[in-house]
Amino acid sequence: MLKTHNCGELRVEHAGQQVTLAGWVNRQRDQGGVVFIDLRDRWGITQVVVDEATSPQAHPIARDARSEYVLQVQGVVRVRPAGTANPELETGEIEVVAQNITLLNASRTPPFYINKEERIEEVRRMQYRYLDLRRPSMQYNIVLRHRIIKFLRDYLDARGFVEIETPILFKTTPEGARDFLVPYRLQPGKFYALPQSPQQLKQLLMVAGYERYFQIARCFRDEDLRGERQPEFTQLDMEMSFIEREDIMQLVEGMMIALVEGVGTNKQLLWKPFPRLTYTEAMEKYGSDKPDLRYGMAAVDVSDIAGKSGFGVFQTNVAEGRPVKAMRVPGAGAVSGTQLRKDTAELEDLARSAGAKGLAWMALPTDENDEVKGPIGKFFTVEQKLELFERLEARPGDLLLFLSDRCEVVYNAVDILRRTLADKLNLLDPNQFAFIWVIDFPLFLWDEENKRWDPSQHMFTAPMPEDLPLLDTDPGKARGSQYDLVCNGYEVAGGSIRIHDRAMQEKIFPLIGQTMEHAREQFGHMLEAFEYGTPPHGGIAAGIDRLAMLFAGAPNIREVIAFPKTQTGSDIMAHAPSPAEPGQLEELGIAVVIEEDKEDA
RNA sequence: GGGGGCGUGGUGUAGCGGCCUAACAUACUGCCCUGUCAAGGCAGAGAUCGCGGGUUCAAAUCCCGUCGUCCCCGCCA
């Protein structure tokens, strides 16, 4: 070893010890006769003192040392002279008096600061990702991610789960996203697909009798990127046999609580056990199947009251079956008239961008004797207003927003209004975790474009037993045995009880527009497996990137992925993707045909 | 596929028609300095303002296109 201690561990009790440290120059302070070097490694920073008089060998090297030079320092630990301790440093009580310094490697001037937390343009960070990752904040994120994964592994291992690897080179998987294809030289013209998840394989492991499986699995989906989505991402993939929905939810909930409480961050659970919302409740109240419950502002149906008001839009909509929903924004009405008009105009624009035709509002005065402000107030009788306020639990100074349209439009608008208002009103505390379960999803969602039902999760999700008859009569009403774990507005895990019966599986295919022929071709091995004693089973997959992001308090998952891709799927450092060599393509029997720019070529 | 933001010395920002021969901080280079820790002092170097075109007497600044990146919708659980 080139070091006997790391740069974060030396304390007063080490005083007098001969030590060797190695690391990077975080900062160098040249005082002339004495040079201070803050030596940094993954564990911390230790001050090295180099005195010209007592360390003639080390002094010139220390003088020439620059940021990010790699040094090995041999010296003696000493308690710092009185008055020179640095309470900012964990090692601030001591310093290492250098006897010998070896320059292990020099460094060019880095393109950005390693020793200073400053927002740097992301292109630059990605171009020099190895330097970006050297920054302490990134090292914290990456190590935190490791701790999360380690915790989950240990937790599941202790409960009889077996970690099993599944292939990356596989076949199209039924998650509904676009596949990444990998051409294969030995069979020109044929392609592997990278797994969108190990879904089929983990079910087959249940058929194989492993009963409790997990894997830290890389998944691949060729869809557009977002802050929370990368083309390759990591899931904690799990599957269990002989269990019911409740068993998995309990296990995962216990695991998440233990993780939050055991992984050593300052994150607080807002509540436990985790509340459960049905999909319908989530949509009705929050307009989203992954609502952020760190704040309220739930939508409340006021169709009955609004329909009786004198406001024509509400009357017509309610008469034609379109709901009127109201949201209470605490305190947002207690501003000047000018400000109120500006705020509500902005919110109305937002609602319009979500497809709504408008946004009505009432502002409750802070003085209860004043009139309610807002253009629709006059259409409501005093009694109607009081009824509204009571239902919304409105207080003086609140702003009430009213939306009325088709359900989907109202949901959309409620969702975007809630999220925007929460941000504006500073209601988003990243240290608070609001975990909730969303259950009772519809098994299918109608795909208007292709005029068919689409599985809302995937084709192996079992219907809720009591909804089986609906498959024949009204498939849209059938609920799936699906459960999603949501935290702070992010879906962090999703799973279901699976179909383990061939007949049931074959019943699903035609409903989702799969011909039997195509289904057998793609999934024949699954159907066949179901005939050999498949146990009832189910599972869940948790997004490790999103969890790590939440635990790190990071704004996107790139901050917790060592080498992420940009929004266009590029790796700026390595310049991937890149054209293939003609010889490689020839071996694969592939010709690249790139469309010339359609018109303006 | 669509909408929006951003792109100025190495880095982070300012400048948003003429006072820009582009400012500030920091980093960088040299010299001075024996208790600093965002060290300090003095001196210095460093930018065709992403790229291309246009408008104008005059463009970092306005317009169009393009490239890159980020956010959002679609897409994706």
Side-chain angles (χ1 to χ4, degrees), chain A residues 51 90 147 158 176 233 290 294 299 354 358 402 451 530 597:
Chain A
D51 193 309
E90 296 205 34
R147 295 211 314 268
F233 58 99
K290 46 177 168 43
R294 282 175 295 176
F402 297 82
K451 304 288 178 201
F530 289 164
D597 277 345

Side-chain angles (χ1 to χ4, degrees), chain A residues 110-128:
Chain A
F112 48 79
Y113 301 103
I114 313 295
N115 55 13
K116 188 166 146 186
E117 287 300 333
E118 188 173 54
R119 209 199 61 79
I120 309 151
E121 212 171 325
E122 216 164 310
V123 196
R124 203 95 305 135
R125 294 175 57 194
M126 292 304 165
Q127 185 183 352
Y128 298 97

